[in-house]
Amino acid sequence: YPQPGYARNLCLIWPEGRRIFLNYAYLIAAEFEPNAEIKLSFSSHMVVLTGYGLESLFMALFEHQARLIRAIDPRYVLDDDKLDGIVIAISVEKQEE
C-alpha cells in the first residue's frame, strides 16, 4: 500500500485460482519460523503460509504492505526462487466461536 488510509486487506491466492481476503484490522498475531512457515492469527481465521525465504514476507505483513500472496505449485519452484521468498502452500481454518 503506497499511501495511508486504504482499507487494508490481504488476499490469498491458491495455484488453482481459489481466493480469500482478510482485513488487516483483524490480524491479532503473527509468528515466523525460519525455513518453515508463517502463522497468522486473525480473529476469525488461522492462516499458515508454508514456503522458502519467508522473512521478507513476514516483514511486509508486519508493516501491512503485502496485498496479494500467491502460492506456487512446488513442482515449479526453482532453487534460485527459494532465495527470494516463495509460498508453496496456504492453509486457512475458521476459528471456533
Side-chain angles (χ1 to χ4, degrees), residues 15-55:
E16 67 275 4
R18 177 181 166 210
R19 294 175 184 223
I20 185 173
F21 75 84
L22 300 161
N23 192 287
Y24 272 111
Y26 298 102
L27 178 59
I28 298 168
E31 181 180 350
F32 170 61
E33 294 183 31
N35 301 318
E37 62 190 18
I38 296 173
K39 295 178 184 175
L40 304 171
S41 179
F42 288 86
S43 58
S44 60
H45 293 80
M46 173 61 81
V47 176
V48 179
L49 306 171
T50 306
Y52 307 100
L54 297 177
E55 186 171 0

Side-chain angles (χ1 to χ4, degrees), residues 49-93:
L49 306 171
T50 306
Y52 307 100
L54 297 177
E55 186 171 0
S56 61
L57 175 57
F58 179 79
M59 294 310 297
L61 290 163
F62 172 72
E63 296 173 353
H64 294 193
Q65 292 178 336
R67 293 180 68 193
L68 301 170
I69 297 176
R70 183 180 307 269
I72 297 173
D73 190 307
R75 296 177 293 174
Y76 304 116
V77 176
L78 304 173
D79 286 338
D80 291 341
D81 294 335
K82 294 179 182 180
L83 302 173
D84 296 331
I86 297 290
V87 173
I88 59 169
I90 300 172
S91 171
V92 177
E93 292 185 23

